[in-house]
Amino acid sequence: MEKSKKRKISEENRTFNDARCGVYGLQEDSRIIVDEALVQAAKNHAQLEHIRETLTEQVNKERARLEMEIKQTADKAVHAVQKWKDVQLCQLSKLEMQFCSSQKQLQYVQERIKALDIAMQMAREVRRVPFLEQYCILDKVLETLRAPVDNQSFGTKSITLGSGMRFAIYSIMLLKILCVFVSEYKLSFAFDFCSWLCYELSFIFASFVFLLVPQWVVVTHVVNPSHFYIRYVAEKRETEILSKRINRYCSKDNSYFSSTDTVKTGSVIFVKSKRKLWCRASVIEVVQSGCTETVESCLVTQLGSVRVFFIDHGQTTAITVQSENRTSESLLKAVNNHMRRVHESVKDELDCFAPQAVRCSLKDLVPYELTKGWTKEAQVEFYSLVGSAAVEMRPLGQDTDSLLVDLKKAPMDQSRDLAVSVREYLVFIEVARFYAPVTQARRVLLYYPPVYPKIHTELNAVVSHILNPSDFYIQLVDNMESLLLSAKLQKFYNAIPKAGEDNQIYCPVIGQACVARFDDKWYRAQIIGLPGGRRVEVLYVDFGNTKILSVCDLRKIKDEFFALPSMAIHCCLSDLVPLDAETWSDACITRFMSLADQKLVTIEATRKVPKSEPLPVKLFESDLNGHLDNIAEMLVKEELAAFKEGFESEDTRPTCNDSAVWDPPLECTLAKENTTPTDEEQEFHPQLELPGQLKEVNVRVSHVNSPSSFYIQFTKFNSQLKRICELVKQECEHMEPQDVVWKADMYCAALINGVWERGQICADVTSSSTVEVIRCDHGNKVKMNTSNLRPLPTSLIGSLALECTLPDIRPAGGRSTWTATACDFISYHLTGASAVVTIKELTEERPVPVTLFCSNRMGQLVSIADFLASEGLALRERKPRSVFLHKDITDPQTDDSEGKKKASPETATVPSPSLSLPASNPTCTIPKPASRTIMSAEKVITQLYRPPELPYLGHVKMTVSAIGEDGLIYTRTHNAECQLESLRERIQQCIKTLPRQKPYTWKSVQGCAVIGPDMLWYRGQVLEVLGGTIKVQYVDYGLVENIPVVHLYPMLLCDDVPQLCVSCQLYGINPIGGFWQHDAVALLKEMLLNRCVDMQIRELPTNPRAPLTVDLFLDGLSISKILCHHEHGTMDRMLSPQKVSGLKGPEETVLGPFIYPDLPQGEKFPVRVKHLWTPNQLFLWPLEGMTDVEVNGETLEEALTRISIDVDDLPRLTNFPEGSPCLAEYSDGKYYRAKMIKILSLEPVKILVQHVDFGSDDTVPTTK
């Protein structure tokens, strides 16, 4: 037995392995077959190209001959042919389609080439992505690829100029006239050719109209974008006639099925549709009663179900035959209720009506995710766009049984709107994508360009948007039409659209004019980008700012809003450049915004420029005395910007405050050096030769790695550097790339940012084409392709950058290496800066020890080493005391020279280290410590971040991000979750180094930037100042923390993005004690934190920063009810219960409380004691006026008895609010009126109820 089992298992394994190998072999064979077919196709493609060129040349010759013959014939014709002559000459290009066999052959060759190109592309895609095989017919593709090309079949040698090809006429009347001239003038072409042409043109014209003229259709059924059905609007009359005939026939007795009739697969029957109309249908499947398998035919009395396809509508449906008793009569009646037979006489009559539903497919469209196929969303979006209205269909081809088309929804206004392509719309909303590239040739309407002011004319304007001093927008204020435009926009787009009016934009196009929402108001805009995710990037043409928003916030623009040109004028400050001539600093942008943003200024255009470039203007700010201050000159005076070289400011008055000038001594020195070059500069040296004077040399810091490694360039060698770049460019610009094996430390010429420079290879280049090169004249390293490298001539080898180090400091914190913060800090302040350097010791080793000084804003030189030490990023190196004693005693000349330096005003501000020397040494003087400056708190005022975008009333999905101690629930929408990811990346890219910390007055700060514990930046809002800490709320998360001031900065991060977190409060619940206790908040955090919940928004606040009033549901359970169950709150009885749509809340109608009977006051009346709870509390039943009360003809006892009998017909309760009425089963098995007191337990669910007609309490499950 065991041997037989083992043998069976081994045979099964062998079979499985053979099958697997067969599959792998099959895949390999298919790949080989496709490769061979592609090779053959390439040969065929080349032959077809040669044939096409030959045919094209012959056709061109024929065209020239035909043009001459047309003119000769027209000259002989009378006035009847004169009009025909002009038409033919104008339409000569179209007449080429009707020439002769050579033109037909050329057209056939072009079709073969096009089919071969498509097949080759499809074969390559199928070979690369096997999933695409299900969207094409591989056998058909292989057949197209393998089809041979026979040169003899085209007959290129038989084509001559006298081939008999003549011009053809569209009009039948003109052909007859032409035939008259043939017989009269004996023209060269044959008369029977014209008669044949009459017949051929009628067929060609009909086919041409069908293929090229758009058809108006109605979409009847959608399976997916690759499978849907349409009906032609032109056939509407025919469809109505067909429907009337079918329904008239089905009302006759001979249309009923009899017991002997059968239903066969593929037969045509009549089926009643959902609209109670009889329609033609084709039987797809037949299932016999009592069977699960399909059969070919079945008697109608044995029919179980049938699946049919409506050939005039396109949908498929299943019909189940059901009857109360399975007798032949009842089954036959059930069949005739849904279906009718097609009699032979009726079949012949209806055969003349072709199927009205035509199967179509959107051309070149595949699912967005090929592995998942078409989604339900694609079907819903498709049908929601086209709806039941007529759409324009453009046939683009045919594939087996489907038409390849594109549907376009007709615009509401033909003069200005664009037809919405269904294919482009589905691609835009990311439910589909194009299988092949599709070109979009759509003309869009544009706004009129803004009206530029006249040159050298002062005008008042408002700066509407600022990016930097060379990129901002202004609005001229002398145009009152802008106010009227804004009012009209709000009135029109805030109104409820009229019936049939659709202003929604479904498929936006780049460059399209539209109206976009901004802060709940509408403004004119233009689409400038499509970032995806159903979002668009728009430019507000009247203000200049841009924003990324949802396509739901766009509307089509009316014609009347095109009348005014764009009001935002793109400007730049005239003749102003950044300090480093490359990028604007944050300080400069911030200062410029504080001076001009959203303020009234005076502008003066300085020169004319093309419309595509910013308009150079001068901006003037008015002060209290009415004096106009030039903003550009203010930025230059504050050392935040500079004028272009050769430009002189108009304000030549001397300033009395020298401290406002940045680094005047250094600039003056540089200017003098640049104007009077020395002999050393004029002599060319490719290698750096240090100057004889090593103290207080003017340099420029070109690159910084750390305080122990940075590179400097001597300013006196600037001309040398320019000359070297020119020489390298002359040597290498026209040199072809060479096959060089690049090794480490080899010198090369590198093309970096379009400039040829000297470089040195950092490491050997192996298989990769990427190499790391150090820039010899700058010091930094760049990665580049080896194709941008050339061998450097020996005469140019060298370097003009000197690597230096600061020897007097070491890393703080006991570290052996510099922290990233220290490296970023010094790189931020030094890269590209002008400085003064003193080389302490000149050796061959690198880096060279130096002392480095830079100017501060007061024009004073500051030691960079001392600056890093004062910031806590470095520690001063401790040196032995004997070194200083020996130096001071034995080198009096040094002391004298240094004393002279201290006497000079320039070096008096350089701090020197404090030394403790013995008092017995008379030659040593103890230096005094530098005076300590007490920095006063800087007053900074920041605004709040923009309020969050509130969702609309109704049901919405939200993610809970935080729970406040006051019970507020902070949530984010799904859109906000997507924005949060992009906002994080944007914030981290904006700030890469820590700003310098200063004391601030935090009481005037509202919005701020926070460094979180993960060392990432977040946006915050100051809630309260608590001494050394500040209570801050993260505006995008809702969390509240007490944060030290060293981790806060009074600046706004991405202030154009609104807060992403929305605060919410629960509706209709009062916390116990008037505020939420700690255990209630803990329960909310445990249930909701970081979870997606269902939210029903009850009320929107007037203040967008105030909390929403909402109902929250977690897995269908009301959060308010859960809090009440745990006795953390009570429901507000003053609020009427409302049914929540779309949630798993109360589904049944919630009744009000029971009404207690009116008891007579001050009188005695008989009662019956129903229940005794305590001696002080009992329940009574009045005997008068209660027992005889009838409602709908029955008393309470009769109604309860009836209900107890038919209790199974009543729906069960699914919601159990406290105090609500219900029917509860008592121990006797009968149901009595009761009200719910509270839920006693959850597992199992037990509810305490009180029988209101007896007063007794009972604990019952939900089933009772």
Side-chain angles (χ1 to χ4, degrees):
M1 181 66 70
E2 294 181 355
K3 292 181 179 180
S4 62
K5 287 184 178 180
K6 293 180 179 178
R7 188 181 303 109
K8 185 176 181 180
I9 292 172
S10 62
E11 291 177 356
E12 292 178 352
N13 293 335
R14 189 182 305 109
T15 303
F16 174 75
N17 293 331
D18 292 343
R20 184 173 62 179
C21 295
V23 172
Y24 292 157
L26 181 61
Q27 293 179 353
E28 186 65 28
D29 293 342
S30 299
R31 187 176 301 172
I32 295 174
I33 291 173
V34 172
D35 292 340
E36 292 176 353
L38 286 173
V39 173
Q40 181 63 31
K43 296 179 180 178
N44 295 343
H45 195 278
Q47 294 180 9
L48 289 172
E49 287 287 349
H50 177 70
I51 294 172
R52 184 183 67 174
E53 294 176 358
T54 304
L55 292 175
T56 303
E57 182 180 359
Q58 296 296 338
V59 169
N60 291 336
K61 293 180 180 180
E62 285 289 274
R63 172 176 175 166
R65 185 186 63 80
L66 286 172
E67 184 177 356
M68 182 181 298
E69 187 170 346
I70 289 172
K71 292 180 180 179
Q72 293 175 356
T73 305
D75 293 336
K76 298 178 182 179
V78 291
H79 297 288
V81 191
Q82 187 66 33
K83 183 178 180 180
W84 169 84
K85 168 194 170 184
D86 299 333
V87 173
Q88 299 308 310
L89 289 177
C90 295
Q91 302 292 333
L92 187 60
S93 60
K94 297 183 180 179
L95 292 177
E96 292 179 2
M97 300 298 298
Q98 310 297 337
F99 279 161
C100 70
S101 59
S102 62
Q103 179 64 38
K104 293 182 180 180
Q105 289 182 355
L106 176 61
Q107 183 178 2
Y108 173 69
V109 172
Q110 291 177 345
E111 292 177 354
R112 281 285 306 271
I113 292 176
K114 183 178 180 181
L116 196 58
D117 288 334
I118 296 175
M120 293 173 70
Q121 181 182 1
M122 294 178 65
R124 293 189 183 100
E125 292 294 329
V126 169
R127 194 175 186 276
R128 184 174 62 86
V129 184
F131 288 110
L132 290 175
E133 186 175 351
Q134 57 182 325
Y135 297 102
C136 66
I137 303 175
L138 187 58
D139 295 339
K140 187 176 179 180
V141 174
L142 294 176
E143 180 182 355
T144 305
L145 296 175
R146 295 170 176 170
V149 178
D150 188 6
N151 294 337
Q152 301 298 327
S153 62
F154 294 99
T156 56
K157 296 181 179 180
S158 63
I159 300 178
T160 61
L161 295 180
S163 60
M165 184 166 61
R166 295 295 183 268
F167 53 88
I169 314 302
Y170 287 128
S171 174
I172 304 296
M173 184 62 66
L174 288 179
L175 280 174
K176 293 180 179 179
I177 298 174
L178 196 61
C179 293
V180 174
F181 283 105
V182 168
S183 60
E184 182 176 353
Y185 295 103
K186 298 180 181 180
L187 298 181
S188 59
F189 50 83
F191 179 79
D192 57 348
F193 173 76
C194 295
S195 60
W196 168 81
L197 196 57
C198 292
Y199 173 78
E200 288 293 327
L201 282 179
S202 61
F203 175 76
I204 293 174
F205 182 74
S207 303
F208 180 77
V209 169
F210 175 77
L211 290 177
L212 298 182
V213 176
Q215 305 285 328
W216 288 97
V217 299
V218 175
V219 178
T220 58
H221 182 65
V222 178
V223 179
N224 56 56
S226 297
H227 184 187
F228 61 93
Y229 296 88
I230 57 96
R231 285 196 306 193
Y232 293 100
V233 175
E235 299 177 357
K236 182 178 181 181
R237 178 62 179 169
E238 183 179 356
T239 304
E240 294 176 352
I241 296 174
L242 175 63
S243 179
K244 290 181 180 179
R245 291 187 181 183
I246 293 175
N247 285 274
R248 184 169 60 250
Y249 167 75
C250 292
S251 62
K252 299 179 181 179
D253 295 338
N254 60 351
S255 65
Y256 287 83
F257 281 101
S258 62
S259 58
T260 58
D261 291 332
T262 60
V263 177
K264 298 181 180 179
T265 303
S267 62
V268 177
I269 60 176
F270 297 129
V271 179
K272 185 181 290 186
S273 65
K274 294 182 179 179
R275 297 185 297 171
K276 306 301 181 183
L277 295 176
W278 294 98
C279 306
R280 291 188 297 179
S282 175
V283 179
I284 301 176
E285 293 180 357
V286 178
V287 179
Q288 193 171 355
S289 178
C291 300
T292 57
E293 300 293 333
T294 60
V295 295
E296 287 294 328
S297 62
C298 176
L299 288 172
V300 293
T301 56
Q302 301 176 2
L303 195 62
S305 64
V306 61
R307 188 175 181 85
V308 297
F309 170 73
F310 291 92
I311 60 178
D312 296 323
H313 298 273
Q315 66 264 35
T316 303
T317 185
I319 302 174
T320 303
V321 180
Q322 296 179 348
S323 63
E324 297 178 357
N325 46 4
R326 305 293 295 180
T327 62
S328 299
E329 291 77 7
S330 62
L331 289 173
L332 186 60
K333 182 179 179 180
V335 170
N336 286 320
N337 287 336
H338 298 284
M339 298 178 292
R340 300 291 169 86
R341 66 172 183 170
V342 179
H343 198 267
E344 291 296 332
S345 60
V346 180
K347 183 178 181 182
D348 295 338
E349 181 182 355
L350 298 181
D351 281 344
C352 61
F353 293 94
Q356 303 295 304
V358 180
R359 179 172 176 175
C360 299
S361 174
L362 294 179
K363 181 175 172 58
D364 295 331
L365 215 62
V366 295
Y368 191 76
E369 296 185 12
L370 296 176
T371 57
K372 296 182 179 180
W374 291 109
T375 61
K376 183 68 175 178
E377 183 185 5
Q379 178 191 12
V380 173
E381 293 290 347
F382 185 113
Y383 198 78
S384 64
L385 179 62
V386 297
S388 59
V391 295
E392 183 182 357
M393 183 184 76
R394 293 184 178 270
L396 302 175
Q398 188 170 358
D399 184 15
T400 61
D401 59 341
S402 299
L403 278 179
L404 302 179
V405 301
D406 184 20
L407 301 181
K408 292 192 175 183
K409 183 177 180 180
M412 300 297 297
D413 189 347
Q414 297 288 345
S415 63
R416 61 183 175 88
D417 288 349
L418 297 172
V420 179
S421 170
V422 176
R423 295 195 303 166
E424 296 174 7
Y425 172 70
L426 296 179
V427 171
F428 171 74
I429 64 175
E430 297 182 351
V431 299
R433 62 185 180 91
F434 286 117
Y435 176 68
V438 175
T439 58
Q440 300 181 3
R442 302 173 64 181
R443 182 180 60 85
V444 296
L445 294 179
L446 301 177
Y447 296 101
Y448 291 110
V451 179
Y452 279 24
K454 295 181 180 180
I455 305 301
H456 303 301
T457 303
E458 292 187 356
L459 296 173
N460 291 329
V462 173
V463 181
S464 58
H465 181 63
I466 294 177
L467 292 176
N468 54 59
S470 60
D471 188 0
F472 61 92
Y473 292 83
I474 64 170
Q475 275 185 347
L476 301 179
V477 298
D478 56 353
N479 188 0
M480 296 301 296
E481 294 180 347
S482 60
L483 300 178
L484 298 176
L485 173 65
S486 179
K488 289 181 180 179
L489 285 171
Q490 311 314 318
K491 181 179 179 180
F492 179 78
Y493 290 100
N494 287 330
I496 300 175
K498 300 178 181 179
E501 185 179 22
D502 185 11
N503 290 321
Q504 185 70 37
I505 293 180
Y506 294 97
C507 187
V509 180
I510 293 181
Q512 180 179 356
C514 63
V515 175
R517 195 197 306 268
F518 188 89
D519 286 346
D520 295 332
K521 289 187 178 182
W522 298 98
Y523 302 96
R524 298 193 302 172
Q526 185 178 16
I527 298 172
I528 59 174
L530 302 174
R534 304 191 187 186
R535 297 179 300 165
V536 295
E537 184 178 5
V538 299
L539 168 69
Y540 294 93
V541 296
D542 296 325
F543 298 90
N545 58 315
T546 61
K547 185 180 181 182
I548 296 178
L549 40 76
S550 171
V551 72
C552 300
D553 293 330
L554 299 183
R555 296 293 183 270
K556 298 176 183 176
I557 185 168
K558 292 184 65 179
D559 284 342
E560 62 180 282
F561 299 132
F562 276 105
L564 287 179
S566 303
M567 299 180 190
I569 302 176
H570 194 192
C571 301
C572 65
L573 289 182
S574 179
D575 299 313
L576 197 70
V577 294
L579 286 177
D580 58 357
E582 294 180 358
T583 57
W584 294 99
S585 63
D586 294 339
C588 181
I589 296 174
T590 304
R591 178 58 175 160
F592 180 49
M593 293 180 69
S594 66
L595 293 173
D597 191 21
Q598 304 299 326
K599 293 182 180 180
L600 181 65
V601 296
T602 301
I603 65 112
E604 178 186 345
T606 58
R607 64 179 181 273
K608 291 184 178 180
V609 293
K611 296 285 186 178
S612 58
E613 298 180 7
L615 177 67
V617 298
K618 294 180 181 179
L619 287 187
F620 298 94
E621 181 192 41
S622 298
D623 57 15
L624 296 178
N625 299 324
H627 178 68
L628 296 178
D629 293 331
N630 191 327
I631 293 180
E633 294 182 357
M634 294 173 64
L635 295 177
V636 173
K637 290 178 181 179
E638 296 177 8
E639 294 296 335
L640 298 175
F643 287 116
K644 291 182 180 179
E645 186 177 355
F647 178 82
E648 294 183 0
S649 173
E650 296 179 358
D651 188 5
T652 58
R653 294 172 299 174
T655 58
C656 59
N657 186 9
D658 294 337
S659 63
V661 181
W662 181 281
D663 195 11
L666 183 58
E667 295 296 333
C668 296
T669 306
L670 294 180
K672 292 179 181 179
E673 288 183 357
N674 290 334
T675 55
T676 58
T678 61
D679 295 336
E680 293 179 355
E681 289 178 323
Q682 296 174 354
E683 185 180 354
F684 174 69
H685 296 285
Q687 183 65 33
L688 176 64
E689 295 183 1
L690 295 179
Q693 175 66 23
L694 300 181
K695 295 183 180 180
E696 300 179 4
V697 183
N698 295 321
V699 298
R700 176 181 176 272
V701 182
S702 59
H703 179 65
V704 177
N705 293 321
S706 69
S708 298
S709 175
F710 58 91
Y711 291 83
I712 62 173
Q713 296 173 341
F714 293 90
T715 56
K716 64 183 302 180
F717 295 146
N718 285 343
S719 59
Q720 295 273 21
L721 181 60
K722 293 180 181 179
R723 186 175 179 185
I724 286 176
C725 291
E726 293 175 356
L727 292 175
V728 174
K729 180 180 179 181
Q730 292 175 3
E731 293 287 341
C732 305
E733 184 178 16
H734 302 291
M735 188 184 300
E736 295 294 331
Q738 301 180 14
D739 189 9
V740 179
V741 180
W742 298 103
K743 298 294 184 180
D745 299 332
M746 288 181 60
Y747 284 92
C748 63
L751 183 61
I752 302 174
N753 297 328
V755 178
W756 287 99
E757 300 180 8
R758 297 187 297 179
Q760 190 175 12
I761 306 298
C762 297
D764 294 346
V765 181
T766 56
S767 59
S768 176
S769 60
T770 303
V771 60
E772 189 175 28
V773 178
I774 184 171
R775 301 169 67 186
C776 295
D777 300 316
H778 297 81
N780 60 315
K781 297 179 181 179
V782 293
K783 290 185 178 180
M784 56 192 308
N785 196 286
T786 53
S787 61
N788 293 327
L789 299 182
R790 301 290 187 274
L792 185 67
T794 309
S795 59
L796 297 178
I797 293 178
S799 173
L800 292 182
L802 179 65
E803 185 179 8
C804 303
T805 182
L806 299 177
D808 298 333
I809 55 175
R810 54 187 172 88
R815 298 170 57 96
S816 59
T817 58
W818 292 97
T819 63
T821 303
C823 296
D824 292 342
F825 186 81
I826 189 175
S827 176
Y828 175 79
H829 285 86
L830 287 186
T831 302
S834 299
V836 176
V837 69
T838 296
I839 300 177
K840 303 183 68 172
E841 183 180 359
L842 185 58
T843 61
E844 295 295 331
E845 297 181 359
R846 297 292 184 270
V848 176
V850 299
T851 57
L852 189 67
F853 298 90
C854 283
S855 300
N856 62 5
R857 295 192 61 179
M858 302 298 293
Q860 300 170 339
L861 290 178
V862 176
S863 170
I864 297 300
D866 294 340
F867 180 57
L868 291 176
S870 65
E871 293 293 330
L873 299 176
L875 297 177
R876 293 183 178 87
E877 284 285 0
R878 296 181 179 178
K879 296 183 179 180
R881 185 185 307 173
S882 58
V883 175
F884 298 99
L885 294 177
H886 178 74
K887 178 180 178 182
D888 293 336
I889 296 173
T890 60
D891 193 4
Q893 295 180 357
T894 305
D895 293 340
D896 296 338
S897 62
E898 289 187 359
K900 295 179 182 179
K901 288 181 184 178
K902 291 180 182 179
S904 64
E906 182 176 355
T907 58
T909 58
V910 179
S912 57
S914 301
L915 303 177
S916 177
L917 301 178
S920 59
N921 192 343
T923 61
C924 296
T925 59
I926 302 176
K928 297 182 179 180
S931 59
R932 181 173 299 178
T933 332
I934 301 177
M935 300 180 64
S936 60
E938 181 179 350
K939 185 176 181 180
V940 179
I941 300 177
T942 61
Q943 303 296 326
L944 291 172
Y945 288 97
R946 291 174 52 191
E949 296 179 354
L950 301 181
Y952 297 105
L953 290 174
H955 173 235
V956 66
K957 290 277 189 179
M958 303 285 276
T959 301
V960 179
S961 59
I963 307 293
E965 296 301 326
D966 53 356
L968 288 181
I969 302 170
Y970 295 91
T971 61
R972 287 192 297 265
T973 62
H974 178 69
N975 186 29
E977 290 287 338
C978 300
Q979 291 183 1
L980 184 61
E981 296 297 328
S982 60
L983 179 64
R984 288 174 182 168
E985 298 179 0
R986 181 179 170 187
I987 291 176
Q988 309 313 321
Q989 292 175 359
C990 291
I991 303 181
K992 297 183 179 180
T993 59
L994 293 177
R996 182 176 180 180
Q997 185 66 41
K998 300 177 183 179
Y1000 303 105
T1001 56
W1002 288 98
K1003 292 184 179 181
S1004 58
V1005 175
Q1006 293 179 319
C1008 63
V1010 185
I1011 301 179
D1014 53 359
M1015 298 306 294
L1016 297 178
W1017 288 92
Y1018 297 92
R1019 304 194 300 171
Q1021 176 182 341
V1022 175
L1023 300 180
E1024 186 179 359
V1025 180
L1026 306 172
T1029 61
I1030 297 178
K1031 190 175 183 181
V1032 176
Q1033 182 178 45
Y1034 296 87
V1035 297
D1036 299 319
Y1037 299 86
L1039 298 172
V1040 178
E1041 289 183 353
N1042 293 337
I1043 301 177
V1045 293
V1046 294
H1047 294 161
L1048 296 178
Y1049 293 88
M1051 59 182 180
L1052 298 182
L1053 302 177
C1054 302
D1055 55 350
D1056 58 322
V1057 180
Q1059 299 180 22
L1060 302 181
C1061 197
V1062 181
S1063 59
C1064 307
Q1065 61 183 5
L1066 294 176
Y1067 171 78
I1069 184 172
N1070 298 321
I1072 299 297
F1075 61 92
W1076 293 105
Q1077 306 295 328
H1078 293 293
D1079 50 355
V1081 175
L1083 178 62
L1084 287 174
K1085 291 181 179 180
E1086 181 181 357
M1087 291 190 300
L1088 302 178
L1089 209 54
N1090 297 325
R1091 296 191 63 174
C1092 184
V1093 297
D1094 291 316
M1095 178 183 292
Q1096 183 73 15
I1097 301 176
R1098 296 281 192 170
E1099 182 181 351
L1100 292 177
T1102 55
N1103 182 8
R1105 301 184 189 276
L1108 303 175
T1109 303
V1110 301
D1111 279 334
L1112 286 184
F1113 294 87
L1114 182 63
D1115 297 332
L1117 298 178
S1118 172
I1119 300 299
S1120 301
K1121 300 275 177 46
I1122 295 176
L1123 291 174
C1124 292
H1125 170 69
H1126 288 276
E1127 299 181 350
H1128 294 310
T1130 57
M1131 299 300 295
D1132 192 347
R1133 300 297 180 187
M1134 300 300 294
L1135 300 175
S1136 60
Q1138 300 178 5
K1139 186 173 181 179
V1140 181
S1141 60
L1143 301 176
K1144 299 179 181 179
E1147 298 179 357
E1148 60 277 339
T1149 303
V1150 180
L1151 303 177
F1154 286 103
I1155 301 175
Y1156 288 94
D1158 294 332
L1159 302 179
Q1161 300 293 330
E1163 300 179 4
K1164 294 181 179 180
F1165 54 92
V1167 297
R1168 179 181 299 170
V1169 178
K1170 285 289 187 177
H1171 181 66
L1172 180 64
W1173 197 353
T1174 65
N1176 294 331
Q1177 188 175 6
L1178 63 148
F1179 296 87
L1180 304 177
W1181 176 278
L1183 297 179
E1184 296 180 357
M1186 295 294 297
T1187 57
D1188 299 333
V1189 176
E1190 293 185 0
V1191 177
N1192 295 332
E1194 62 180 354
T1195 61
L1196 175 62
E1197 186 176 356
E1198 293 173 351
L1200 291 175
T1201 302
R1202 176 178 56 80
I1203 289 174
S1204 298
I1205 296 173
D1206 301 331
V1207 70
D1208 293 334
D1209 297 335
L1210 297 178
R1212 295 184 182 274
L1213 284 178
T1214 58
N1215 190 44
F1216 310 98
E1218 296 179 10
S1220 60
C1222 64
L1223 291 173
E1225 184 180 0
Y1226 193 57
S1227 58
D1228 58 357
K1230 296 182 179 181
Y1231 281 83
Y1232 299 94
R1233 298 193 300 173
K1235 71 175 181 179
M1236 287 176 280
I1237 305 301
K1238 64 178 180 178
I1239 301 175
L1240 293 181
S1241 63
L1242 294 177
E1243 293 184 0
V1245 179
K1246 294 286 186 178
I1247 301 174
L1248 178 65
V1249 299
Q1250 183 184 68
H1251 296 280
V1252 296
D1253 297 325
F1254 297 91
S1256 58
D1257 296 342
D1258 195 5
T1259 302
V1260 294
T1262 57
T1263 56
K1264 293 187 177 184

